[in-house]
Amino acid sequence: LVLAVVLVEEGRDPLWQRLLVIAPHGTIAAAIAGIQYWSASEAKVVKSRVIGEQLASMPWTFAMYWKLLFLPVHLATPHSRVPLSWDSDAKVILLSLAVWVGVTLVLWKAAPRRTIALFCLGWWYVMLLPVSNLVPLSMLVAERYMYMPIVGLCILGADIAGSLWRRRRRALIALCVGAILALLAVQTHVRNRIWYDGKSFWRDGITKWPDSPVTRIGLAASHLDTNEPMLAWKQYQKIIDPRGMAHSKNSEHTSLVNAGLTECYDRVARHYEREGQVDKALEVYETVVRQMPQRIEPRIDLAQAYQRHGRRGKAVEQLEAIRKLRGGYDGLPKALLEILSGTDADTDR
């Protein structure tokens, strides 16, 4: 609204009076933004960081959006780049800043009408500013964030193309427009196949960001949706194993992984037991206990697995851990309580 008021000169009213007309709209927008930011902070969608750390990622973010605009050939959701820091990524930040400023200047020089250029570039940056990492987000770049900003640059591109067309450079314009439409048509066809189902979507993300926990968590969730716990377990292993390709200790990743593990670990362990691979089955239970040491259910399952395979001493260790966490043995299965009294039939192996 400010861009429109400043650039459109109608009537003889001074600028401050015209800006005053949109003050209520600005007040409402600021209030909504504040409420959304507070809600996102409470939900831990955004993370508070010092202003210097936030600004470090902004040049790369804007440069990446320029790249996606002009070279939409590396499309992926999400773009799993971790936040940049001045200490370790100074060269990347400076190079990104040069690209960001350079592309902006080229478009400004190419624009036939400065008023249109100012409005369109202003629209682009104003719309991107909320997702530029000024407010820290879990995802630095996402293609869906370009839906509104790209409108301004489409207008600017049309203005530049119209100017060239009026200069009789119609063959060049027709060639460029045809190439752009062909590229976007091919990309649309390719991306439609990738969006066919969840597995195709997340596998595409893994091929482009193999070390991303987010893409592997998404693929694991898709496997759970189609009742494939073994495949889901393999993806979770790549995140929780310190040697895993996508190892992460991020609290958000851990929360999602733990939720998925809760759904699948018992089925995975039971599968190994049916296959006669007892050690692998016990390793599954032990892995989950290490991942969620404060949870009672995984320890009960592990103690029962030890009991099934005659490892009474190990089972007792888990029962003692449960007693410390819970403050007693209330609610435990009767078969497990028999281990403590020594009346169970199993013996240590």
Side-chain angles (χ1 to χ4, degrees), residues 78-99:
H79 292 262
S80 300
R81 178 69 161 87
V82 297
L84 285 75
S85 68
W86 294 103
D87 294 334
S88 58
D89 302 300
K91 291 182 179 179
V92 175
I93 295 171
L94 293 176
L95 179 61
S96 300
L97 182 61
V99 171

Side-chain angles (χ1 to χ4, degrees), residues 9-31:
E9 298 180 2
E10 292 185 358
R12 298 182 178 180
D13 293 332
L15 177 61
W16 71 269
Q17 287 186 355
R18 286 185 282 141
L19 288 175
L20 193 61
V21 173
I22 64 170
H25 304 82
T27 303
I28 294 172

Side-chain angles (χ1 to χ4, degrees), residues 160-162 164-166 168-183:
I160 294 173
L164 293 174
W165 188 270
R166 289 190 294 271
R168 306 289 182 181
R169 298 181 182 179
R170 297 180 179 180
L172 175 62
I173 291 299
L175 180 63
C176 291
V177 170
I180 291 171
L181 292 177
L183 172 64

Side-chain angles (χ1 to χ4, degrees), residues 42-63:
E42 289 295 306
K44 299 182 179 179
V45 175
V46 298
K47 302 290 185 181
S48 59
R49 292 196 292 269
V50 299
I51 190 67
E53 293 178 352
Q54 294 170 210
L55 295 178
S57 296
M58 288 183 67
W60 182 88
T61 300
F62 280 121

Side-chain angles (χ1 to χ4, degrees), residues 2 15 80 89 92 98 110 118 155 183 187-188 202 209 216 250-251 254 260 269 271 295 304 329 332 342:
V2 170
L15 177 61
S80 300
D89 302 300
V92 175
L118 181 60
I155 297 172
L183 172 64
Q187 281 295 88
T188 299
W202 291 113
W209 301 95
R216 295 191 180 275
N250 179 280
S251 59
T254 299
H271 170 81
R295 295 283 295 275
Q304 290 176 323
Y329 298 113
L332 291 180

Side-chain angles (χ1 to χ4, degrees), residues 58-324:
M58 288 183 67
W60 182 88
T61 300
F62 280 121
M64 180 58 68
Y65 283 123
W66 282 130
K67 177 184 176 183
L68 289 173
L69 179 71
F70 293 110
L71 298 171
V73 294
H74 189 271
L75 303 178
T77 303
H79 292 262
S80 300
R81 178 69 161 87
V82 297
L84 285 75
S85 68
W86 294 103
D87 294 334
S88 58
D89 302 300
K91 291 182 179 179
V92 175
I93 295 171
L94 293 176
L95 179 61
S96 300
L97 182 61
V99 171
W100 171 16
V101 175
V103 173
T104 303
L105 291 176
V106 168
L107 289 176
W108 176 260
K109 292 290 185 182
R113 291 180 287 182
R114 291 289 181 262
T115 302
I116 296 295
L118 181 60
F119 177 81
C120 293
L121 290 173
W123 177 283
W124 169 259
Y125 284 121
V126 167
M127 291 293 177
L128 279 181
L129 192 62
V131 292
S132 65
N133 205 51
L134 185 61
V135 175
L137 301 175
S138 300
M139 213 180 301
L140 288 187
V141 173
E143 291 153 21
R144 64 182 181 273
Y145 295 159
M146 294 178 67
Y147 292 166
M148 288 299 292
I150 203 172
V151 172
L153 292 186
C154 286
I155 297 172
L156 180 59
D159 194 42
I160 294 173
S163 175
L164 293 174
W165 188 270
R166 289 190 294 271
R167 297 178 195 174
R168 306 289 182 181
R169 298 181 182 179
R170 297 180 179 180
L172 175 62
I173 291 299
L175 180 63
C176 291
V177 170
I180 291 171
L181 292 177
L183 172 64
L184 296 180
V186 171
Q187 281 295 88
T188 299
H189 177 68
V190 172
R191 293 301 289 174
N192 281 343
R193 288 186 301 170
I194 291 168
W195 282 79
Y196 177 74
D197 58 29
K199 293 178 187 176
S200 301
F201 176 80
W202 291 113
R203 282 175 183 145
D204 173 72
I206 288 175
T207 59
K208 294 170 180 175
W209 301 95
D211 58 347
S212 166
V214 175
T215 53
R216 295 191 180 275
I217 291 171
L219 181 57
S222 296
H223 284 310
L224 289 178
D225 290 340
T226 53
N227 197 29
E228 297 173 301
M230 298 296 296
L231 296 177
W233 174 261
K234 289 180 181 179
Q235 294 302 323
Y236 289 133
Q237 279 290 92
K238 296 180 185 296
I239 302 170
I240 63 179
D241 187 341
R243 297 165 297 179
M245 183 178 295
H247 177 62
S248 172
K249 293 183 178 180
N250 179 280
S251 59
E252 293 177 20
H253 299 159
T254 299
S255 177
L256 293 170
V257 168
N258 289 352
L261 289 176
T262 301
E263 290 189 41
C264 72
Y265 77 87
D266 191 53
R267 287 184 287 168
V268 172
R270 295 284 185 169
H271 170 81
Y272 283 132
E273 285 184 312
R274 287 192 298 270
E275 296 290 323
Q277 302 181 62
V278 174
D279 288 341
K280 280 192 173 182
L282 294 176
E283 183 181 350
V284 169
Y285 287 123
E286 290 166 351
T287 298
V288 175
V289 168
R290 287 195 299 271
Q291 180 71 10
M292 298 180 277
Q294 302 301 314
R295 295 283 295 275
I296 300 295
E297 286 302 321
R299 290 188 180 276
I300 292 176
D301 291 334
L302 178 56
Q304 290 176 323
Y306 282 143
Q307 184 187 35
R308 286 195 298 272
H309 300 290
R311 305 188 183 185
R312 181 179 181 277
K314 292 284 189 180
V316 170
E317 289 179 7
Q318 292 305 314
L319 292 176
E320 286 300 308
I322 293 170
R323 182 184 63 79
K324 292 178 182 178

